[in-house]
Amino acid sequence: MSATDGTQDASDTWGPRARALMPGGVSSPVRSFRGVGGEPFFVERGAGPYLFDLGGRRLIDLVMSYGPLILGHAPEPVVAAAAQAVAEGLSFGAPSPREVLLAERITSAMPAVEKLRFVNSGTEATMSALRVARAATGRRLVVKFSGCYHGHHDSLLIRAGSGAATLGVPDSAGVPAELASLTVSVPYNDTEAVTRLFHDRGPDIAAVIVEPVAGNMGTVLPAPGFLEALRALTWGAGALLVFDEVMTGFRVGWGGVQGGGVTPDLTCLAKVIGAGMPVGAYGGRRDLMALVAPEGPVYQAGTLSGNPVAMAAGLAQLDAIGGPAFYDPLAQATAALADGLEERAARHGVAAVAPRMGGMMSLFFAERAPSNMAETEAADRERFARFFHGMLAEGVFWPPSPFETAFVSQAHTPDVIDGVLAAADRVLARL
Ligand code: HOZ
């Protein structure tokens, strides 16, 4: 659909039509701007670091489809690979070589992922990983952390972050209490609470699932020793450690957060490995993945899983990234943005912190970086909403919730970062 195709050319004509037919007028709740007020714009196209809306605006994009677009919008090698795959057939329902090639790239970058299964989203990946964990251990209980978001399946919509936190429904309606009681949520970074839980209920715990750098309550970093403690506790109790690297995988480094040394039993991936196409994967120890059908008794399937166009896009993106050397410049660009925002906020007397890791970061209007959900909730949300709308008016699209992460891509060159900072300077001066 083009702004110039003779239909309609502005978001305020599409919004009512969308809201008449789709809940909130959106296909995923966080897009509705409910966390900041107002109505979303409609996108015409993306290019590099920019989104172009139907009103003719060019916006510097820091949402970047919530993470997959690490090379920017519509990067030439990814578009070319996807276009060629489209020409060769949209879906086969049979194996094709690109699945093997993408699996080889992922497993060589993440040695703990010895074997994997492609799915269509992060939600499917975490849902399936928990099924494997329960089958492998014969236990039912799952431990998660408040503010972590692992997709929208029933077992994990418990004290969930992202849109669920933004809309005030962290424990979604429609999840049976019996099922919810099988998930225990504890505060992120609270090693003592997890230790107590293992002391009390260790033999019942099938798995601990964690975002090893949290990105769905804004960006919250793991405290030193937190992930190591989870590893030790799960090992000690015969439970599995599941890293949800949907956001961090191939985003904070070539080997994800687990490249830093803590090895999970199972890993969930999506976003960057699909380059913006609907792709997810779960994988891990060979003996665990041997439980998955058709090798084992854990059933999990998908007509579109391993889709050839999605595989082609993901493969082209990982090949363009190339390896670990890609990530230093990305982290530097992100740090330049985060440091620059903190400096400008301080200059204008606005309390703000910008935690960052690799190509992800947040801005919290708070005195110090939050370490858990309660602290992210305590940051000034009203001020965040004014910052968001101020930036949008200045031509910068920041994530429309303090419980989302901003993403920097390779296309966010120093001049683009300078443009964001110049806009932020004007906005922060008025906050
Ligand atoms: N934090 C979400 C993805 N992990 C944002 C995307 C969405 O819910 O639409």
Side-chain angles (χ1 to χ4, degrees):
M1 184 61 67
S2 158
T4 54
D5 71 355
T7 51
Q8 301 282 2
D9 66 357
S11 298
D12 57 6
T13 60
W14 286 101
R17 289 170 66 179
R19 288 191 292 280
L21 298 174
M22 302 186 286
V26 290
S27 297
S28 191
V30 75
R31 299 176 197 173
S32 69
F33 284 12
R34 293 283 166 92
V36 290
E39 296 296 342
F41 58 86
F42 276 63
V43 175
E44 182 188 70
R45 65 188 175 90
Y50 303 115
L51 275 182
F52 297 83
D53 79 357
L54 293 188
R57 279 187 306 180
R58 186 188 80 168
L59 301 167
I60 297 175
D61 186 11
L62 288 162
V63 174
M64 300 307 286
S65 190
Y66 293 95
L69 310 181
I70 200 164
L71 303 175
H73 286 280
E76 193 279 326
V78 174
V79 170
Q84 185 182 333
V86 166
E88 292 170 1
L90 294 173
S91 184
F92 304 136
S96 65
R98 291 185 185 104
E99 295 162 67
V100 185
L101 294 172
L102 186 54
E104 285 172 352
R105 298 296 191 281
I106 293 169
T107 53
S108 71
M110 290 185 158
V113 181
E114 294 175 338
K115 217 164 183 183
L116 62 79
R117 165 64 56 82
F118 286 113
V119 290
N120 298 292
S121 68
T123 293
E124 279 187 55
T126 60
M127 179 178 71
S128 308
L130 291 191
R131 191 175 299 148
V132 171
R134 283 173 162 148
T137 58
R139 303 172 180 181
R140 299 191 306 167
L141 211 61
V142 168
V143 179
K144 75 174 286 291
F145 295 92
S146 315
C148 283
Y149 174 78
H150 306 287
H152 59 87
H153 58 96
D154 290 355
S155 286
L156 291 172
L157 277 179
I158 314 291
R159 297 297 299 143
S162 189
T166 305
L167 299 181
V169 287
D171 308 298
S172 173
V175 176
E178 294 86 343
L179 189 55
S181 71
L182 299 179
T183 304
V184 181
S185 189
V186 290
Y188 197 74
N189 277 325
D190 192 339
T191 303
E192 259 182 55
V194 197
T195 306
R196 271 198 310 277
L197 190 59
F198 268 91
H199 178 266
D200 296 344
R201 304 182 73 179
D204 298 329
I205 297 173
V208 173
I209 185 166
V210 64
E211 290 181 77
V213 169
N216 285 292
M217 48 178 147
T219 307
V220 174
L221 305 184
F226 176 61
L227 299 176
E228 288 81 355
L230 299 184
R231 181 64 284 183
L233 286 165
T234 45
W235 257 333
L240 300 186
L241 180 60
V242 183
F243 271 10
D244 178 345
E245 296 228 45
V246 164
M247 199 176 276
T248 54
F250 294 93
R251 160 61 63 179
V252 302
W254 186 241
V257 178
Q258 62 194 266
V262 179
T263 303
D265 299 296
L266 291 168
T267 298
C268 303
L269 295 166
K271 296 194 189 276
V272 172
I273 66 162
M277 296 294 289
V279 179
Y282 66 100
R285 278 172 26 206
R286 193 170 290 278
D287 61 310
L288 296 173
M289 294 308 289
L291 294 171
V292 178
E295 285 181 31
V298 176
Y299 196 73
Q300 183 276 309
T303 299
L304 300 178
S305 296
N307 173 270
V309 183
M311 296 292 106
L315 192 55
Q317 176 147 285
L318 292 196
D319 283 349
I321 292 171
F326 176 89
Y327 292 92
D328 276 350
L330 185 72
Q332 281 158 17
T334 309
L337 176 58
D339 288 341
L341 288 170
E342 286 182 346
E343 277 163 25
R344 281 156 183 80
R347 197 186 311 147
H348 294 297
V350 174
V353 283
R356 78 297 300 258
M357 174 69 82
M360 51 195 282
M361 64 160 292
S362 274
L363 188 65
F364 292 107
F365 291 102
E367 296 287 348
R368 62 188 185 91
S371 66
N372 58 37
M373 184 62 176
E375 290 176 11
T376 66
E377 283 175 327
D380 190 334
R381 291 177 69 169
E382 206 268 322
R383 195 171 232 179
F384 178 89
R386 281 187 277 130
F387 172 78
F388 169 84
H389 282 292
M391 293 297 275
L392 194 56
E394 293 277 354
V396 178
F397 183 35
W398 194 268
S401 165
F403 303 126
E404 298 295 345
T405 281
F407 294 97
V408 173
S409 78
Q410 188 186 44
H412 291 79
T413 50
D415 56 312
V416 176
I417 299 290
D418 285 349
V420 177
L421 291 175
D425 197 48
R426 293 188 287 274
V427 172
L428 290 164
R430 304 193 290 268
L431 284 187

